[in-house]
Structure formats: C-alpha cells, structure tokens
Amino acid sequence: MKNNSYLKGQTALLLVDPYNDFLSEGGKLWPLVEGIAKEVGLLDNLRAITAAARKAGIRIFIVPHHRWEPGDYESWAHPSPDQVAVGRKQVFAKGMWGGDWHPDFVPQAGDIIIKEHWAQNGFAGTDLDFQLKQHGVDKVIMTGMLANTCIEATGRYAMELGYHVTLVKDATAAFSADRMHAAHALNGPNFAHAILTTAELVALLPIE
Amino acid sequence: MKNNSYLKGQTALLLVDPYNDFLSEGGKLWPLVEGIAKEVGLLDNLRAITAAARKAGIRIFIVPHHRWEPGDYESWAHPSPDQVAVGRKQVFAKGMWGGDWHPDFVPQAGDIIIKEHWAQNGFAGTDLDFQLKQHGVDKVIMTGMLANTCIEATGRYAMELGYHVTLVKDATAAFSADRMHAAHALNGPNFAHAILTTAELVALLPIE
Amino acid sequence: MKNNSYLKGQTALLLVDPYNDFLSEGGKLWPLVEGIAKEVGLLDNLRAITAAARKAGIRIFIVPHHRWEPGDYESWAHPSPDQVAVGRKQVFAKGMWGGDWHPDFVPQAGDIIIKEHWAQNGFAGTDLDFQLKQHGVDKVIMTGMLANTCIEATGRYAMELGYHVTLVKDATAAFSADRMHAAHALNGPNFAHAILTTAELVALLPIE
Amino acid sequence: MKNNSYLKGQTALLLVDPYNDFLSEGGKLWPLVEGIAKEVGLLDNLRAITAAARKAGIRIFIVPHHRWEPGDYESWAHPSPDQVAVGRKQVFAKGMWGGDWHPDFVPQAGDIIIKEHWAQNGFAGTDLDFQLKQHGVDKVIMTGMLANTCIEATGRYAMELGYHVTLVKDATAAFSADRMHAAHALNGPNFAHAILTTAELVALLPIE
C-alpha cells in the first residue's frame, strides 16, 4: 500500500534541532525537557531511528534552528515571544557548544543540512521544500524537538504543502506532559497521516 | 507603543471560516462546537469584534475553507485526515446552506475575500499574504474557527511570515475544552504576540 | 533516461490562460498576439499537445489568470503595470466571453483547475505547487500565454521550486518577435531543462 | 506621492551577488560581463547607490547566491542548466576569493545578509521576504547581477509578493546587450513599478 510504506526513494527522516542545548546534559534547555525525554526514552529512540533510516537507505535531513548571534532580532518589528526568550538566553549560540550538534547526531556524508529556520517551522524561509523535491521525497517522518513547537509547526506545514506526514510520539519531547498530549492526541490527528511509536516505525522501514 | 496598538492602516481582522456549518444551528459541525461556543459567547463576541473593527476602519479579511465539491481529494496522493473526514461528511458544500456565510458575517463592501484554503492554514495556497501586503498590513487579529486547527495554523504561520499575531481566546471555539487550553495556554504563548479576550481587544481598537 | 522522458505519473501539462481574450478572434488581446500566434501555429499546436497529453494519460492543469471584476486593485498599494493595464481594459472579465475558456480548451473531467493568479506567476498565491505534489508531479510542460510573462514567470519559479521545466516555443506567443526570442533564446536556457518544438515534444510523449 | 518616493523606513536596497567572481578583475564570470559593466559604469554606479542609500538611512539587504561546495547538486533530480554550469566551473566557491565579497561591497554593520539562494530568485528558499517584513519594507530597489537572471527573477517575484519594485538599468549587467534590452525594455515594464538610471534614483533618495 502506497501510504502505509516508507520506501527509501520517497521518504525523508527529518531531524529537527539536534543541538546540545536541547539534547545534552548541561544544555540550556535540557532541564526543561529532561523529564519527558527520559520518560519516553528520547535519546535511545532517536539513535534507533537514525540507525534504522541509514540502514534502510532513507535520507536524513537535518532541520536546524537559527543559531543565536549578537544583534539578533534587535532591528525587527515583531520578534516572536520565543525569539525574545531565545535571544535573552542566547540559546543555540553560534560557535558555542550549545549550538553544536549532539555528538550522536552529527550530520554524516549524504545527509542534507537545511538552512536554519528563524522560528518553529522548518519550511519557513528555508530550502526544505526545495531539497525534498530535488530528492524525490513525498513522505516525511518528523523527529526531534519540540513536539508542540518546531515538530508540530513543521509537520502541520508539510501537510499543507502536500506531503505525507508521520509523527513519532516517543522520538520527541516537550516542556510538559500536557504539551505532549496536545501534540499527539489533540492536534496531530488533524494533520498527520500516521502517528507511531519508534518501535512501530522501525518495524515498517524497509531493509535495504 | 508600536506593538501594543492596532492602527487601522496596519491591522487586519482575519475572520476564518464563518460558515453556517460551523456557526449556525443545523450546521454539520455546530453540534461539535456548540458547547464551547456558548460557554465563551462566541457569536456575540464575533459580532462585537467585527462591529468594532468596521467602526475603527480596520479592514476585514475573510479567510474561507475550501467548499466541498464532488470529486474532491479523489485523485490526491495524500489527503489529510481532516480532508478525508470533510469529504465524507461533505462539510462546507459548495452551493449549499452549510457552505454559505453565517448571516451575521456576510462579507460587506470593502472586505477582502481570500482564496479558499484546502486545509488549515489560511496562507497555504492562497493570496492571503499578498493581499495583506497590498493593504499595508503587518498585524493580524485571528478570529473564527477552530482554535486549534485553522486559527492556530494560520496564526503560527503569520508569525513565521513576520506578522504581529493576536489571538482572541473567546472569539473562537473548538471541539473540547482541552483543545482550547492547548491553543491558548500551551501553544499560543510560543508564537502569538498578544492573547486577549474580546473585551480587552475591543478596548484597544482605535476610535476612527 | 529519467530526465529525457515524460512519464504520465510524474508529468503535468500546464495550460496557462486559455481565455478567449487571448486566443480567439475578437478577444481583447488577440490583435496583439495574432501575428506571432499565426506564425508559430499556436492554436494548432495547443490542440496537438493537449490531445497528445490526454492520450498519453498526462494530466492537464489549467493555470488561469485572475478574471477582472469591478473594484479590482483599487485598494492596493502597489498594483503592477500589467494590473493597471488589465484593469483599464477589463481583460478576462468575469462572467464575460473574454474571460471564458477558448472553446477548444474547455477543461475536461480529470483536469485540475488551479486557483487564479493575480499577476504572471501561476504559483504565486495559488495552489499550483500543492496540486502538483498531490498528483506526484515533478515535471511540468509549459504551454499557453504569454511566452515572456506568465509562461516565463511560472516556468522560472517551477525551477526554483525544484521541478523539471520544459518550454514549448511554438505553443505560446508574445506581443513581438523579440519577446519570443528573449523568452526562448536569452532567458529560457538559464532555467529550463528542455526547450522543444511541439513536434519534438509530442514525439517524446508516451503512448499509453 | 507614496509611490514616487523612497522613504527610509519602507525602502530596501537589494544588492544581489556582489561577489568577486562577478565584479572583480580575475573573477570567473567577469570576462562575460566586463563589456556591459564598463559600458554602463556598473561599479561606479553600485558605489554611488550604496553610498547614497547609507546616507539616506535606507537599509541594504545583501542577497547572495549559493557558494559552491564539493558535492553540490550531485544527488539532485533536476539541477537547472545554470546550476550544472556553476558546478562545473565552481563559481562563487565557498572559502575562495571568487566567492568572497567584492572589497567595495563588503557588508557593513546594519546590513542584512539574506540566506543564500540556490538559483536565480533571491526569495526562493530564503528569508528575504521575512526579513523585509521584519524591517517594515514594502519597496525594493534591485541592484547587482545579472540583469536577466537573478535581478529579473527576484524583481518579478517581489512584485508577485506585493512589493513595489524598482529596476536600475545601469546598476546591473548581463552577458550581452540584447539580454540588457530584454530585461529593461521587454520584460521589466510588465512587472516593475519604476525603471530608472542610477542618477535618477539617487536624485529621488531622501537626504536624512
């Protein structure tokens, strides 16, 4: 069945914001996500999915948030609440450890690194749609951070652009359990074509 | 202060999906939203806001969902779950009462009717951004249906495009209280520049 | 070879602005294009290509310009020179013969009618990209009017979006020979993946 | 008059691809543009416009082409003819002199550097529209390279997005005189709101 399979030519694994500030002990946002991350087994699940994707020949697209630099947002008319907060905390700072890749998710040869997004939606102001098209992709699997911000914004818009969208509810995290519930039980069912666990997803990936 | 005011030249009131199927007794989706709609005073609030906006010289942009027609979605690779449901129920059917404007929100001279959106995001595949630009708008006030689907998708994306975004938490509704909570307390604060009640908003509108 | 073929699943024939005002005797713009149109055999070529596409199972997407209505552009900050001219001449008027389809190019069952574009680019403010994605298309064949305005703007942007773009230099026309030359010899070679004649194209289409 | 003036708050000077490979003796593309560049006084005009813009408080947005890196385009389904050529010649190579800014057009404090575009259109897959919105801009002045490729693609699309567009016909160049003619006499008048010389433009800029 076309829509229940993840063929390597047509499927992309999107890995959103795999930065130390989100995923590593000592990261600026880690304390806010640690509870959920450990509960769902986030790091192990991301390792399992990226390994399974590579083995299946499914290409990985890294979808990174803007790395903070001095002067950011200062001349803007309408920075978002999150941009104001990011600027104050200097989250994902360029050239700093917090804005570097978590060591287990450093891009590898063949991965596509998308241009950095300024807010939540990995398509907005980036080449994500273009790169997906140039690689023949029409199905995206959403993984990374955060369930109700970047993952949801990017997944929602992928559907608006015509892609088949899969959420993986234990390969992401959020600041609270009700945000996870909102992402996967309240909003996700309105736009996502599949909402799976890591184990369910990995079982569906092809063996190359 | 630039960001705490709603000047008529730069502000648009977006009214999303003011169809009978959503807002009128007998509408196909009315039974699903009636509880919340009555609790927040939705209809009265929409009447108050549109009246205040017209009085203030703030232009109204109608942002309508696609009206269902026979054959819709049949040749598509990846219709969304909502599109499948809309198709099955023939919601907002073209030429039918359910797909007609609620009588209190029929577009008036000077209102801009945006092209119909296929899914949730009023910008996706439409001329909404273009029309806002042609009218000098950089602030949007989100009203209409539903809080966690079209309103949230359109508001999130407005922020991604650089607009100042205001949510009005009692000028919308949803299928359940937790969806309202998700829209206004969990997700909205990450992207919206203001989250107001109708009374708070109307008090801020200019008197022409 | 993937890029030298036009398989039915992945190819779309875009037919831009097939209105009486452009293509029929008595149309408002026909006198301006008649010279080139007759020289290249435009009408016969459009008939040949649409017939061949239907026979090959290649889907036709109608990409129509906005139909003029009273009040158009009046509240806009920056209407384009062409929009000002269109408004003055009431070209492609809604509900009038000039804004109706040329009788040989009336949409047929299975054709997709894209939302009307306001200016030249059939993707701008429309669902063209979305509909192409939902139908699995990654190659577009550009036909219709005008070579150096809507065809060029749409073809250029199709390339920017990641599509394979084919121009058909005798299935379009322009107001002058130097505009045809600019479209096909000066600008086209920078963005189009193929620039063919109708005969060359038809020979490459699959036989279903 | 709103549309005949270039107020500092609403106007942006776009400077496209000010790389050594385009503008400096020894650049890979300089031999192809040298004839026209010298004929129109390109370098002097770009120096005059950027100086006048800075003096007038008009913000400069640098709109740079993708800098070539090894591996570029290799996994793509449909690289454009120009991308194939750029890849073969390694034009605008990252970290090399050719891909560095011409010394007279190095970005200065307050300039906005837009994300690199992959093809011709500075809006496609970049944050140009977003950055213009965040800075309140609704008028763009197009300068840089090339008249019939990046300048035209970006200018055409700026109009599609609702911006007021000014071409400066001696602050750009092309590979041939007929390409300049196509850009400014054949295609520009259909989409640009103003087509000026450098002298005419500078005379219209405000004195801060």
Side-chain angles (χ1 to χ4, degrees):
Chain A
M1 283 293 294
K2 189 177 184 186
N3 281 327
N4 293 325
S5 62
Y6 296 94
L7 302 180
K8 69 175 175 173
Q10 70 169 153
T11 306
L13 178 65
L14 304 196
L15 181 53
V16 180
D17 300 351
Y19 290 131
N20 285 317
D21 265 347
F22 255 144
L23 297 179
S24 296
E25 299 261 350
K28 288 182 178 171
L29 300 177
W30 175 250
L32 295 170
V33 299
E34 184 178 4
I36 303 285
K38 290 190 168 166
E39 188 185 313
V40 302
L42 171 68
L43 274 292
D44 281 346
N45 289 335
L46 288 177
R47 281 185 281 258
I49 290 178
T50 51
R54 293 187 195 286
K55 207 166 155 190
I58 288 174
R59 198 181 288 270
I60 296 178
F61 291 68
I62 313 289
V63 181
H65 191 279
H66 174 74
R67 287 171 166 98
W68 180 85
E69 290 184 86
D72 276 355
Y73 318 121
E74 285 175 10
S75 58
W76 287 13
H78 306 304
S80 77
D82 277 8
Q83 284 157 347
V84 172
V86 160
R88 205 165 39 221
K89 294 184 196 170
Q90 307 184 7
V91 182
F92 316 133
K94 189 169 181 171
M96 307 294 279
W97 174 84
D100 201 357
W101 312 115
H102 181 285
D104 293 348
F105 306 108
V106 174
Q108 301 186 15
D111 294 356
I112 306 290
I113 302 177
I114 298 302
K115 291 184 200 302
E116 296 175 3
H117 50 273
W118 279 106
Q120 298 181 7
N121 181 336
F123 289 97
T126 78
D127 55 345
L128 178 52
D129 178 61
F130 176 72
Q131 290 277 16
L132 292 174
K133 282 218 201 73
Q134 284 287 7
H135 292 89
V137 172
D138 73 340
K139 291 190 172 184
V140 294
I141 300 167
M142 304 298 312
T143 64
M145 309 290 274
L146 293 172
N148 67 313
T149 61
C150 291
I151 294 294
E152 183 166 329
T154 306
R156 277 177 184 253
Y157 199 62
M159 176 277 289
E160 300 281 352
L161 290 173
Y163 293 96
H164 179 281
V165 178
T166 297
L167 303 181
V168 190
K169 57 190 171 187
D170 55 4
T172 184
F175 291 174
S176 65
D178 56 359
R179 285 173 171 83
M180 290 292 274
H181 181 74
H184 301 131
L186 302 181
N187 290 344
N190 288 97
F191 68 84
H193 301 78
I195 304 179
L196 305 175
T197 63
T198 295
E200 289 167 345
L201 173 70
V202 168
L204 288 169
L205 294 187
I207 295 158
E208 197 168 36
Chain B
M1 285 292 295
K2 187 178 184 186
N3 282 327
N4 294 324
S5 61
Y6 297 93
L7 303 179
K8 69 174 173 174
Q10 69 169 152
T11 305
L13 179 65
L14 305 197
L15 181 52
V16 181
D17 300 350
Y19 291 130
N20 285 317
D21 265 345
F22 255 144
L23 297 179
S24 295
E25 299 261 351
K28 287 182 179 172
L29 300 178
W30 175 249
L32 295 170
V33 298
E34 184 178 4
I36 303 285
K38 290 191 169 167
E39 186 184 314
V40 301
L42 171 68
L43 273 293
D44 280 346
N45 289 335
L46 289 177
R47 281 185 280 259
I49 290 177
T50 51
R54 293 185 195 287
K55 208 167 154 189
I58 289 175
R59 199 181 287 271
I60 296 178
F61 290 67
I62 313 288
V63 181
H65 191 278
H66 174 73
R67 288 171 166 98
W68 180 84
E69 291 184 86
D72 276 356
Y73 318 120
E74 285 174 10
S75 58
W76 288 13
H78 307 303
S80 78
D82 276 7
Q83 284 158 345
V84 172
V86 161
R88 205 164 38 219
K89 294 184 197 170
Q90 306 185 6
V91 181
F92 316 135
K94 190 169 182 171
M96 307 294 279
W97 174 84
D100 201 358
W101 313 115
H102 180 285
D104 293 348
F105 306 109
V106 174
Q108 301 186 15
D111 293 356
I112 306 290
I113 303 176
I114 299 301
K115 291 184 199 302
E116 297 175 2
H117 50 273
W118 279 106
Q120 299 180 6
N121 181 336
F123 290 97
T126 78
D127 55 344
L128 178 53
D129 178 62
F130 176 74
Q131 290 277 16
L132 293 174
K133 281 217 202 73
Q134 285 286 8
H135 292 88
V137 172
D138 74 339
K139 290 188 173 185
V140 295
I141 300 168
M142 304 298 313
T143 63
M145 309 290 274
L146 294 171
N148 66 312
T149 62
C150 291
I151 293 295
E152 182 168 329
T154 306
R156 278 177 183 252
Y157 199 63
M159 177 277 289
E160 300 281 352
L161 290 173
Y163 293 96
H164 180 281
V165 178
T166 297
L167 303 181
V168 192
K169 56 192 172 186
D170 55 4
T172 185
F175 291 174
S176 64
D178 56 359
R179 285 173 172 81
M180 290 292 273
H181 181 74
H184 301 132
L186 302 180
N187 290 343
N190 288 97
F191 67 85
H193 302 77
I195 304 178
L196 305 175
T197 63
T198 295
E200 290 167 344
L201 174 70
V202 169
L204 288 169
L205 295 187
I207 296 158
E208 196 167 38
Chain C
M1 285 293 295
K2 187 177 184 188
N3 281 326
N4 294 324
S5 62
Y6 296 93
L7 302 180
K8 69 176 175 173
Q10 70 169 154
T11 306
L13 179 65
L14 305 196
L15 180 52
V16 180
D17 299 350
Y19 290 131
N20 285 317
D21 265 347
F22 255 144
L23 297 179
S24 295
E25 300 261 351
K28 287 181 180 173
L29 300 177
W30 174 249
L32 295 170
V33 299
E34 183 179 5
I36 303 285
K38 291 190 168 168
E39 188 185 313
V40 302
L42 171 67
L43 275 293
D44 281 346
N45 289 334
L46 289 177
R47 281 185 280 258
I49 290 177
T50 51
R54 293 187 195 286
K55 207 167 153 189
I58 289 174
R59 198 181 287 271
I60 296 178
F61 291 68
I62 313 289
V63 181
H65 191 279
H66 174 74
R67 288 172 166 97
W68 180 85
E69 291 184 86
D72 276 356
Y73 319 120
E74 284 174 10
S75 59
W76 288 13
H78 307 303
S80 77
D82 276 8
Q83 284 158 346
V84 172
V86 160
R88 206 164 39 222
K89 294 184 197 172
Q90 306 184 7
V91 181
F92 316 134
K94 190 169 181 171
M96 307 293 280
W97 174 84
D100 201 358
W101 313 114
H102 181 285
D104 293 348
F105 307 109
V106 174
Q108 301 186 15
D111 294 356
I112 306 290
I113 301 177
I114 298 302
K115 292 183 198 304
E116 296 175 3
H117 51 272
W118 279 106
Q120 299 181 6
N121 181 337
F123 289 97
T126 78
D127 55 346
L128 178 52
D129 178 61
F130 176 73
Q131 289 277 15
L132 292 174
K133 281 219 202 72
Q134 285 286 7
H135 291 89
V137 172
D138 73 339
K139 290 189 172 184
V140 294
I141 300 168
M142 304 298 313
T143 64
M145 308 291 273
L146 294 171
N148 67 313
T149 61
C150 291
I151 294 293
E152 183 167 329
T154 307
R156 277 178 184 253
Y157 199 63
M159 177 278 289
E160 301 281 352
L161 290 173
Y163 292 96
H164 180 281
V165 179
T166 296
L167 303 181
V168 191
K169 56 192 172 187
D170 54 4
T172 184
F175 291 175
S176 64
D178 55 0
R179 285 173 171 82
M180 291 291 274
H181 181 74
H184 301 131
L186 302 181
N187 290 343
N190 288 98
F191 67 84
H193 301 78
I195 304 179
L196 304 175
T197 63
T198 295
E200 289 166 346
L201 174 69
V202 169
L204 288 169
L205 295 187
I207 296 159
E208 196 168 37
Chain D
M1 284 290 296
K2 188 178 184 188
N3 281 326
N4 294 323
S5 62
Y6 296 93
L7 303 180
K8 69 175 173 173
Q10 70 169 152
T11 306
L13 179 64
L14 305 197
L15 180 53
V16 181
D17 300 350
Y19 289 131
N20 285 316
D21 265 345
F22 255 144
L23 297 179
S24 295
E25 299 261 351
K28 287 182 180 173
L29 301 177
W30 174 249
L32 295 170
V33 298
E34 184 178 4
I36 303 284
K38 290 190 169 167
E39 187 185 314
V40 301
L42 170 68
L43 274 293
D44 280 347
N45 289 335
L46 289 177
R47 281 185 280 259
I49 290 177
T50 51
R54 293 186 194 287
K55 208 167 154 190
I58 288 175
R59 198 181 287 270
I60 297 179
F61 290 67
I62 314 288
V63 182
H65 191 277
H66 174 74
R67 288 171 166 98
W68 180 85
E69 291 184 85
D72 276 356
Y73 318 121
E74 284 175 10
S75 58
W76 288 13
H78 307 304
S80 77
D82 276 8
Q83 284 158 344
V84 172
V86 160
R88 205 164 38 221
K89 294 184 197 170
Q90 307 185 5
V91 181
F92 316 134
K94 189 168 182 172
M96 307 293 280
W97 174 84
D100 202 359
W101 313 115
H102 181 284
D104 292 349
F105 306 108
V106 174
Q108 300 186 15
D111 294 356
I112 306 290
I113 302 177
I114 298 301
K115 291 184 199 302
E116 297 175 3
H117 50 273
W118 279 106
Q120 299 180 5
N121 180 337
F123 289 98
T126 79
D127 56 345
L128 179 52
D129 178 62
F130 176 74
Q131 289 277 16
L132 293 174
K133 282 218 202 72
Q134 285 287 7
H135 291 89
V137 172
D138 74 339
K139 290 189 173 185
V140 295
I141 300 168
M142 304 298 313
T143 63
M145 310 289 274
L146 294 172
N148 67 312
T149 61
C150 291
I151 294 294
E152 182 167 329
T154 307
R156 277 178 184 252
Y157 199 64
M159 177 277 289
E160 300 281 352
L161 290 173
Y163 293 96
H164 180 281
V165 178
T166 297
L167 302 181
V168 191
K169 57 191 172 188
D170 55 3
T172 185
F175 291 174
S176 64
D178 55 1
R179 285 173 171 82
M180 290 292 273
H181 180 74
H184 301 130
L186 302 180
N187 290 344
N190 287 97
F191 67 85
H193 301 78
I195 304 178
L196 304 175
T197 63
T198 295
E200 290 166 345
L201 173 69
V202 169
L204 288 169
L205 295 187
I207 295 158
E208 197 167 38

